[in-house]
Amino acid sequence: MALQQTVETTVAGLGYDLVEIERSAGGLLRVTIDLPWNGPNSVDAASAAPEPFVTVEDCEKVTRQLQFALEVDGVDYKRLEVSSPGIDRPLRNEQDFERFAGEVIDITLKAPMGAAAGGQVAANRKKFRGTLERVASPDGSHGWQIVWSQEPEGRPAPKPGQKVSKKRAPAPLQALGFALDELREARLAPIVDFKGRRPKPGTVVSD
């Protein structure tokens, strides 16, 4: 059985979602897990309970079961590390995008913008950061876009914590629509949110 299938089956069997598998130098096998997402919460966001985090106990449980499963399948590795997602969690499928709509994300396109840039951004640009939004099409289908503000040429962006004059005209918004198969990579932007919206840095358990 392939490594991906072994790990995914084991993690799912314990009631978790597999986020990422990485092999590193020295034989380290790193597995990132998360708690399943139950879909949009119909309760008012202001009164909704915060999303639960993966705990050390969760990581320990998955570690023990994975050690057994990997040994049975004869997977070669030196050390196993099971962790929860960090603040730069990857977004890998439609459900991940649904789950993190409204968050700031970083995306890398498979191909540069080229002529589609229309002079708004550099034609060779592939990396973008913006707020993830779901957009509806006239035919009833939906897609995705990121939205960001860009200061006019020659006007510096405000520094973090800088007080902005109310007379200052807001920076114009830009939007980039995309399909998931156009992305090489998508991750939550590693922005620290002291209000508790973003998960804490990953909890790690190693064998």
Side-chain angles (χ1 to χ4, degrees):
M1 187 184 291
L3 173 62
Q4 176 80 24
Q5 188 177 350
T6 298
V7 175
E8 193 161 359
T9 301
T10 303
V11 169
L14 293 170
Y16 302 95
D17 286 340
L18 175 63
V19 175
E20 196 169 31
I21 300 175
E22 296 177 276
R23 277 189 178 275
S24 302
L28 172 63
L29 178 61
R30 182 180 291 111
V31 176
T32 306
I33 63 170
D34 203 354
L35 298 175
W37 184 58
N38 296 320
N41 196 326
S42 59
V43 181
D44 182 3
S47 59
E51 196 170 328
F53 299 123
V54 170
T55 66
V56 172
E57 290 74 19
D58 294 321
C59 294
E60 289 174 341
K61 181 166 63 174
V62 173
T63 298
R64 288 192 297 269
Q65 193 64 29
L66 272 180
Q67 287 171 334
F68 174 75
L70 295 173
E71 182 177 354
V72 169
D73 289 344
V75 176
D76 182 34
Y77 71 97
K78 298 295 183 184
R79 189 162 65 92
L80 173 66
E81 179 180 287
V82 176
S83 66
S84 63
I87 59 175
D88 60 345
R89 182 198 200 281
L91 278 59
R92 297 193 173 277
N93 51 47
E94 186 78 16
Q95 180 173 286
D96 286 345
F97 281 80
E98 292 277 3
R99 179 176 183 174
F100 294 107
E103 296 284 357
V104 179
I105 68 169
D106 291 323
I107 64 171
T108 303
L109 302 174
K110 291 178 181 176
M113 291 293 293
Q120 297 297 308
V121 296
N124 63 348
R125 184 173 175 181
K126 292 196 292 185
K127 295 185 176 183
F128 296 84
R129 171 176 290 186
T131 301
L132 176 64
E133 294 183 352
R134 179 173 175 165
V135 290
S137 301
D139 63 0
S141 63
H142 81 274
W144 297 101
Q145 68 177 15
I146 57 171
V147 177
W148 70 95
S149 59
Q150 184 158 323
E151 295 289 348
E153 188 174 351
R155 189 174 83 172
K159 296 179 180 179
Q162 178 182 344
K163 188 174 182 180
V164 179
S165 170
K166 293 181 179 179
K167 297 180 180 178
R168 181 188 176 105
L173 293 177
Q174 290 190 312
L176 172 67
F178 59 87
L180 300 196
D181 60 6
E182 294 178 299
L183 302 182
R184 182 178 302 281
E185 183 180 56
R187 289 180 176 272
L188 292 178
I191 300 171
V192 177
D193 186 343
F194 294 103
K195 295 181 181 178
R197 251 177 47 191
R198 181 63 56 82
K200 300 173 183 177
T203 300
V204 177
V205 172
S206 302
D207 72 340

